[in-house]
Amino acid sequence: MLDEAAAGQVTVVTAPAGYGKTLLLAEWAARRPEQTAWVSLDDDDSDDRRFWSAVLASLGSCAAVPAGNPLHALIVPGRPSRDPVFLAAVVDAIAALPGPVRLVLDDIHELTAPDPLHGLAALVRDRPAALHLVLSGRAEPPVPLGRMRLAGQLREIRADLLRFSVPEAAEMLVAADTPVSPDQLRLLVEQTEGWAAGLRLAALSLREVADPDRFLTDLVGNGRAVSDYLVGEILSRLPVGTRELLGAVSICSELSAPLAVALSGRADAGEVLDSLERETGLVLSMGEGRTWYRLHRLLRSHLRADLRRQRPDAMVRLYGRAADWFAAEGQPAAALTYARRGGAPDRVVRLLREHATTLIAAGEHELVRTALDWLGAPFRGDPWLALVAALVATEGGALAQADAHIARAVAAWPSDPAPELVALRGLVRSRRVIVAGDPDDTPGETGSQAAEELGLGPMAMLHRGIGSLGEGRPDEARDIVGSALGRARQQHHGYLAALGLTLLAVIAGMEGDYRRMTELAEAADAEPGNPAWPATIGAGWSSTMRAYGALLRADPAECLDLVAADETGPERSLPEYSDDLLVLRTALRGAALFDLGRTGEGLDGLRDAQLVAAGRPGSPEVTATVAVLVHRATTLLGRTDLARAALSRAENGLRGSGEVGYLRARHQAAIGRYRAASETLAPLLDGSVPFVLPWIQVEARVLECQLALRLERRPEARRALDDALSLTAAMDVLRPLASSPPEVIDLLTRHVGSFGAEEPTTARVLAARRTLGAQPVPLTDRERAVLSLLPTQRSFEEIAVDLTVSHSTVKTHVRAIYSKFGVSSRRDAVASARLHGILSSDA
């Protein structure tokens, strides 16, 4: 940028101390020393004659100024900056030079007297075309620059361009022989904000410290050199009033001008901050309209440490002022944070009473929980605070903890409770019912009315939407929840907005729009301004809906990632899942493992889902999902006993549903009763028997196609395949076709190019099939009986006796088993059978 500036232009280099301004200009000047005149200013140069004498001497020593140029002979008058003849002579002498010359005035902030500043302004205004004037200092020079900036005649290099990036800092530390890890390097650059002097001083200190990680957590507190530099080179040069203002505002990481006024008591605080940003770079403006400010991190760290050490009482008062200001501005989260930092229990309690429910709606669960924990035992007997704690615990799925808080509230219940307290109790109880997910227990109107009384309109609407859905009115529920979502976003209630999106995802799934279900669940997880979301039951449902959508799209790897996040993700506070949610996630995990070819693990997971669900009331949707997934896996593995048990459970829990008929037909097909299976399937295909799960319609069409092929009804098979493709495209459900039997896939591939509008769906199905794991090994009942005895020490002759068959028959079955598993030994056959879930691990 310095090289690009042409003669006749002005370049301003402005940054606080230690940003490398002088070094930058010195390296640049060294490239063309014959063209460069340099003046290093100090406070003595505020003397007008001394200033101009230094300028003329520097220009006169420059090789670009020939011996005969008038600059060598000019006499400096008594008040040169007020002498128009002298100033004109300087300009004319520079203009007469045969080539360009660069004049660097370093530390321009030292020039403070009116006369030399007047003369400098004249030189800037009337500069000749041969002169490139470079003004460098800690503050913008007090000369008129606006017109030049507008005309494009001004180049500006400020602190943001001089800050070291991470790669640049790495180079500097290598040159300083100071090895650091990548994480330490990032932390160092973050703490110093790329400030060159801070990096250099930290590098020197790091050579001597025993624990670099601890040192880097607080550079100012741990590094005396950094603190001394801040005081000696920066703070000591500021007016006392400015230093006091910076100390007062240092308690805030970000602040506006009105907040600065409230903290400092100075009406001109905003103007001071603006001036410091413009002139020093110690303060940075930010946000929309750049009306908020923040201090440089190291400066703020030093000021806060100084305040805490020397004036702790003032620090407490400042935190209280900040809390009151944010509360008055309708920002309760910030108010609660500063009230707690100020150590004011009464103020924290007041803020929780006024804003706790709003904060929870906005997703500030951890903030409320932290404030309650900070208050501790003296306030646990307060029924309002106990119910607030119960509400936070409930949203996180910690129902046992919520019940303990509710019990404390009941124990401290007043004889004449305020309406707001009664409403909060009603809301907590209703939320508990919803989160627990008991289908036999409904929140009724209590939750909706309580939420309305507490000013939580969006939550009241969500409760009404849940009620409508539970009563079988999904269209009405969708409309109500959609309105709740709009209001929640309008009121910046990020948590309620995410709950609304999740509920809409559930409704979309119940209606068979699985693409929309996934999109809405993803939107819930991405809803901005919702820090509490990952640790709530709502997030458990949204991730489960995404996993369900991935399984149905034949993407078992993504499904597994989403439901296994609890086991493999970073440590965090996880919700305690309700029965339905736990059963569904367990079943999805098992199905995903099965589809990935890990059939033994998959079957174990699906059976775990059955065990979790046993004896517990569950929703029809979850019950149907588990039944279909378990029956499919056990049928493919030839485990007719387990498949029959799954069918029996479905008949008991889903009486009269299409899923029961579908599983009966599939069971009949598995034992070769194709005509009976086709007859069982018929009423499901004409819509006379409804399905709980819309996607089972695709499964039914695939089974219809398979049966038609087995019965040699090829036109019927093609029609069933067309119907299956059409439903697959509409619902975004690839799994039934992608994992369909070989004869159905053969029909699909032989007719590629003839499916018209569904041709892209055909391509997606075939691509998805290639990503699925190996299909389970199909064994006959007799082969399975022989296989079950292979892990024993019995010989083939003894196995033949046990099964009452001939020795040669056993050998024939063993050869068939070896062929199907692709093995050549009894031991390998047993190991492969266990891997595929055909034999249990203890067999």
Side-chain angles (χ1 to χ4, degrees), residues 320-398:
R321 290 179 191 174
D324 292 344
W325 187 87
F326 278 110
E329 291 295 312
Q331 298 182 51
L336 189 58
T337 299
Y338 284 106
R340 184 169 52 82
R341 288 177 183 170
D346 292 343
R347 187 179 271 116
V348 170
V349 169
R350 187 182 73 246
L351 288 168
L352 285 173
R353 285 184 176 281
E354 294 176 0
H355 303 290
T357 54
T358 303
L359 287 168
I360 293 169
E364 296 287 357
H365 298 190
E366 186 59 32
L367 177 66
V368 173
R369 187 184 296 110
T370 301
L372 290 167
D373 291 343
W374 180 82
L375 287 172
F379 296 96
R380 286 179 184 161
D382 185 318
W384 177 274
L385 295 181
L387 288 173
V388 166
L391 185 58
V392 173
T394 299
E395 300 305 324

Side-chain angles (χ1 to χ4, degrees), residues 553-556 595-596 766-773:
R553 288 194 312 276
D555 190 349
D595 286 0
L596 287 168
L766 295 175
R769 186 176 179 85
R770 289 191 289 271
T771 67
L772 298 178

Side-chain angles (χ1 to χ4, degrees), residues 19-87:
Y19 269 85
K21 302 180 294 297
T22 299
L23 183 58
L24 165 70
L25 291 172
E27 290 184 350
W28 174 68
R31 295 181 183 180
R32 295 182 185 174
E34 73 285 352
Q35 292 183 354
T36 306
W38 184 291
V39 180
S40 293
L41 299 167
D42 56 35
D43 54 1
D44 289 339
D45 291 302
S46 282
D47 179 271
D48 200 18
R49 293 189 78 253
R50 182 182 174 91
F51 168 69
W52 281 107
S53 296
V55 170
L56 292 178
S58 179
L59 286 169
S61 64
C62 181
V65 181
N69 187 276
L71 285 171
H72 293 288
L74 278 174
I75 303 298
V76 180
R79 295 188 69 187
S81 292
R82 301 294 177 177
D83 190 330
V85 175
F86 170 75
L87 295 175

Side-chain angles (χ1 to χ4, degrees), residues 669 672 674 705-713 741-743:
Y674 304 131
C705 179
Q706 180 190 17
L707 293 172
L709 290 170
R710 296 284 176 90
L711 295 170
E712 298 185 353
R713 301 170 181 169
E743 60 265 42

Side-chain angles (χ1 to χ4, degrees), residues 431-748:
R431 292 300 300 163
R432 194 200 179 289
V433 168
I434 290 171
V435 168
D438 187 347
D440 295 330
D441 196 357
T442 57
E445 283 295 312
T446 306
S448 177
Q449 292 171 359
E452 287 283 9
E453 290 174 28
L454 292 167
L456 299 176
M459 183 173 279
M461 297 171 74
L462 289 177
H463 277 243
R464 286 199 292 272
I466 292 169
S468 297
L469 190 61
E471 293 167 6
R473 301 192 301 275
D475 291 343
E476 180 180 291
R478 191 190 312 104
D479 291 343
I480 294 172
V481 175
S483 298
L485 173 62
R487 284 185 61 181
R489 283 175 168 165
Q490 215 172 27
Q491 297 174 14
H492 305 292
H493 289 171
Y495 176 64
L496 296 186
L499 280 181
L501 287 164
T502 302
L503 188 50
L504 288 173
V506 171
I507 295 170
M510 293 173 68
E511 295 180 330
D513 191 347
Y514 299 107
R515 183 182 291 106
R516 180 68 173 154
M517 175 189 77
T518 301
E519 291 170 351
L520 288 164
E522 289 173 346
D525 288 344
E527 183 67 23
N530 188 12
W533 185 248
T536 65
I537 282 290
W541 275 107
S542 63
S543 63
T544 304
M545 293 299 98
R546 292 171 61 191
Y548 205 156
L551 184 77
L552 296 181
R553 288 194 312 276
D555 190 349
E558 182 181 354
C559 175
L560 189 61
D561 284 346
L562 287 163
V563 294
D566 300 359
E567 305 164 15
T568 61
E571 289 187 13
R572 58 180 172 84
S573 175
L574 289 168
E576 300 169 16
Y577 295 132
S578 60
D579 290 348
D580 255 2
L581 189 52
L582 182 59
V583 169
L584 183 55
R585 289 177 72 89
T586 306
L588 291 174
R589 185 180 188 278
L593 287 168
F594 195 93
D595 286 0
L596 287 168
R598 295 158 63 179
T599 51
E601 290 178 80
L603 182 59
D604 287 344
L606 289 166
R607 296 186 71 188
D608 285 345
Q610 281 186 319
L611 290 173
V612 174
R616 307 186 189 194
S619 69
E621 289 80 11
V622 172
T623 302
T625 300
V626 174
V628 171
L629 294 177
V630 171
H631 190 275
R632 175 183 180 276
T634 52
T635 301
L636 288 174
L637 290 173
R639 302 290 299 270
T640 53
D641 54 334
L642 297 179
R644 193 176 297 110
L647 172 58
S648 177
R649 288 191 186 92
E651 289 172 336
N652 291 331
L654 298 165
R655 198 177 307 277
S657 72
E659 281 74 12
V660 171
Y662 164 73
L663 294 181
R664 285 173 181 161
R666 188 180 181 104
H667 193 74
Q668 291 165 334
I671 59 177
R673 298 180 59 198
Y674 304 131
R675 292 187 184 280
S678 184
E679 291 172 1
T680 302
L681 200 59
L684 309 181
L685 301 174
D686 63 17
S688 56
V689 180
F691 289 101
V692 173
L693 305 173
W695 63 271
I696 302 300
Q697 297 175 61
V698 189
E699 292 274 11
R701 296 296 176 181
V702 171
L703 180 57
E704 180 192 17
C705 179
Q706 180 190 17
L707 293 172
L709 290 170
R710 296 284 176 90
L711 295 170
E712 298 185 353
R713 301 170 181 169
R714 302 197 73 80
E716 290 182 21
R718 173 57 197 261
R719 283 196 297 274
L721 183 59
D722 287 342
D723 290 343
L725 277 169
S726 178
L727 288 168
T728 293
M731 294 185 189
D732 198 30
V733 174
L734 302 174
R735 184 176 186 262
L737 271 172
S739 60
S740 60
E743 60 265 42
V744 176
I745 290 296
D746 180 62
L747 179 65
L748 183 69

